[in-house]
Amino acid sequence: MPDDVPLLSQVWTWQPWKMTEAGREIKARNADFGGLAQRMVAQIRDAGSHWDSAAYWAAYDRVAADSDTARKVAHAVDELGDAMINGGKTLTDFRDVLVGKVAEATEAGLTVADDGSVGTPAGVFGDDREAARRIHQEAIDTALREMLSAQTDITIGIAHASDQVRARGEQFGGGDSGHDPSVVALSWGPAIPGMPPLPPRDSGQGPHGSQPWYSRGDDIALEAVVQAAVVAADAQGLSHASNHLRHYLGNSGADVNLDPDQIMRNDPGLKQIADDLVSTEVQRICTETTATGNYGIPIPFQSPWRDYSFDPEQQRDWFLALGAVENSASGVVIVHSPEESGGQPRITVDYRTHIFDRYNWDRGKVTEIAGFDVFDSAIGALHTAGLAQEFDLLGSSAAKHYEGALPADGQLTLPNGPDSHSDARTVPEGDNAAATDGGPTMYTVAP
């Protein structure tokens, strides 16, 4: 054994289950932190009902940016908590195995020194005794070696999770505090609020690289199969599914930009969801404006997130690439007074739509990828084996403009995005960054 191997008396003092308890406490306090971030956004939105000025929007921008960062920090802290919980359990199990092997040796009438060496009692000799000593020595050495290997893996996993928390935390307060780039000021009208704070991510399969080293052999074999599926999917025209799976296997965990306009052109169902989100917000604002008579004032909005699942037959590429996504919309509405008493008001709307997904693989399903049948849980296990990494996909559409009378049913028929997505505003590396916009996609209803 190497010189840095701990003595058994030292191992007996270890209490790895305390790490599990600490991880649970971290996750509990982190849930409180996430709740505070959500309340912070709700309070600044409530303030907008009686405060509308440049100062308010500067405050709103700062709170929205910090709330988004808080969500990312909370996600990283959750992964740290999971790494500690799982690490504590794993190390406890390996310690228990070592304790058991030492007990077996002593019960067999052998001696076990503090350095783990097995001996026979003084004056006891014989080939059978020596054979038994060798068997118990090998068992103790193996148990100790595997425990220390697991400890190394756990240390690396916790260090990585801690680095992620630190990196996310350093994003607080960054940039120009007077204007967050998640709000894009347009030359043709008022500023469109940016992407709302991201929805909660699902837990996926567990912390990255959290599997013990000795259980990764099947994952290494599967990785080669999935690499072949990537090539086959690309050859069959499943380009987005292939690209996202390739990025997953790339093991960087970096965010990937999505172009909602492109996806909505491919899938009218997603376009309908986006139109519904905008229509609902416009209808709400029109109702409030009609009640108060405050016509001609720009009113911003950010819709809640709404999920949408792609059809596995009609939208095979996007189904394999994303499965289901979260959608939201943000914009500014101006309600103009009706031209005649009792008539429908005319509206002006500048808006964007947003999309978000967490790329991971669920348990309990089998997915066919270009002729390869694979269990989703097996692909997801590449993440916990440290051979692939889950990541966020998100982006915002090009700005669009609508003018016309509010339809009687409140449902707007909104424009499609540009054929080229060069005007689409995407979100690099998960941060709401500024875009270089041309003009909005225009749609005007004739009087």
Side-chain angles (χ1 to χ4, degrees):
M1 285 285 179
D3 294 338
D4 58 350
V5 173
L7 298 175
L8 293 181
S9 59
Q10 294 173 318
V11 174
W12 301 160
T13 66
W14 292 359
Q15 295 180 316
W17 51 88
K18 294 288 187 182
M19 183 163 60
T20 296
E21 294 172 1
R24 288 172 177 157
E25 181 66 17
I26 285 173
K27 286 175 70 71
R29 299 287 73 80
N30 190 46
D32 295 340
F33 169 71
L36 287 172
Q38 291 177 353
R39 288 197 291 275
M40 180 173 66
V41 173
Q43 289 168 354
I44 193 67
R45 283 178 177 166
D46 290 344
S49 63
H50 54 78
W51 178 28
D52 187 11
S53 67
Y56 168 74
W57 286 112
Y60 183 96
D61 293 352
R62 182 72 276 155
V63 170
D66 282 346
S67 175
D68 188 35
T69 301
R71 284 184 180 275
K72 295 175 182 177
V73 170
H75 178 69
V77 171
D78 252 356
E79 289 205 332
L80 173 60
D82 287 337
M84 294 176 65
I85 291 170
N86 295 331
K89 291 178 179 177
T90 299
L91 198 55
T92 297
D93 290 344
F94 277 106
R95 180 183 177 279
D96 289 347
V97 169
L98 178 60
V99 170
K101 296 303 179 185
V102 171
E104 288 173 7
T106 58
E107 289 169 3
L110 301 170
T111 62
V112 181
D114 202 17
D115 64 358
S117 59
V118 179
T120 57
V124 178
F125 304 98
D127 292 342
D128 290 345
R129 206 68 170 161
E130 176 59 22
R133 188 199 68 79
R134 286 197 301 268
I135 291 172
H136 285 285
Q137 182 70 71
E138 178 62 25
I140 290 175
D141 287 347
T142 299
L144 185 57
R145 184 167 52 249
E146 290 183 347
M147 183 189 70
L148 295 178
S149 178
Q151 182 185 44
T152 299
D153 289 343
I154 291 165
T155 301
I156 293 172
I158 291 176
H160 174 74
S162 299
D163 289 343
Q164 292 296 104
V165 173
R166 185 179 302 109
R168 291 302 193 187
E170 289 173 352
Q171 295 176 4
F172 273 118
D176 179 1
S177 61
H179 174 72
D180 187 83
S182 65
V183 176
V184 181
L186 306 178
S187 60
W188 57 84
I192 297 177
M195 183 184 292
L198 297 178
R201 298 164 175 82
D202 57 46
S203 59
Q205 297 248 2
H208 180 255
S210 58
Q211 280 189 50
W213 65 270
Y214 55 81
S215 68
R216 299 177 183 175
D218 57 338
D219 298 302
I220 294 172
L222 175 65
E223 183 184 18
V225 175
V226 179
Q227 290 282 10
V230 169
V231 175
D234 198 31
Q236 293 189 12
L238 303 172
S239 57
H240 299 99
S242 175
N243 288 339
H244 293 176
L245 187 53
R246 183 180 291 109
H247 186 71
Y248 175 65
L249 295 173
N251 206 16
S252 71
D255 295 349
V256 166
N257 296 331
L258 294 176
D259 175 11
D261 288 320
Q262 178 196 22
I263 303 173
M264 287 188 288
R265 286 194 301 274
N266 296 157
D267 190 344
L270 184 64
K271 170 66 162 55
Q272 186 60 56
I273 289 288
D275 287 2
D276 288 346
L277 290 170
V278 176
S279 297
T280 298
E281 294 298 316
V282 169
Q283 198 170 13
R284 175 183 62 80
I285 292 171
C286 284
T287 299
E288 294 173 356
T289 300
T290 301
T292 61
N294 294 325
Y295 294 105
I297 298 175
I299 306 295
F301 70 85
Q302 284 180 316
S303 80
W305 291 94
R306 185 188 300 178
D307 62 338
Y308 176 78
S309 297
F310 293 94
D311 187 289
E313 301 299 329
Q314 300 298 318
Q315 298 293 336
R316 186 65 178 168
D317 188 17
W318 286 117
F319 172 75
L320 292 174
L322 299 172
V325 292
E326 297 287 337
N327 304 269
S328 180
S330 61
V332 181
V333 181
I334 300 176
V335 183
H336 307 279
S337 58
E339 296 180 356
E340 55 185 45
S341 178
Q344 287 290 94
R346 291 185 61 79
I347 56 173
T348 301
V349 187
D350 292 293
Y351 69 97
R352 293 183 187 275
T353 56
H354 315 284
I355 195 168
F356 169 79
D357 184 37
R358 179 70 175 171
Y359 190 92
N360 51 35
W361 292 83
D362 300 325
R363 298 178 183 274
K365 293 190 297 185
V366 179
T367 300
E368 183 273 323
I369 304 177
F372 292 83
D373 287 330
V374 292
F375 284 91
D376 290 18
S377 58
I379 300 181
L382 296 177
H383 171 81
T384 56
L387 302 174
Q389 191 161 177
E390 298 168 359
F391 56 93
D392 288 345
L393 306 102
L394 68 172
S396 298
S397 72
K400 301 181 181 68
H401 181 85
Y402 175 98
E403 291 184 24
L406 179 69
D409 62 0
Q411 184 63 43
L412 303 176
T413 301
L414 297 171
N416 293 313
D419 290 336
S420 167
H421 42 96
S422 60
D423 287 336
R425 175 174 171 270
T426 55
V427 184
E429 298 303 321
D431 297 319
N432 290 340
T436 301
D437 285 288
T441 301
M442 307 294 290
Y443 186 82
T444 304
V445 176

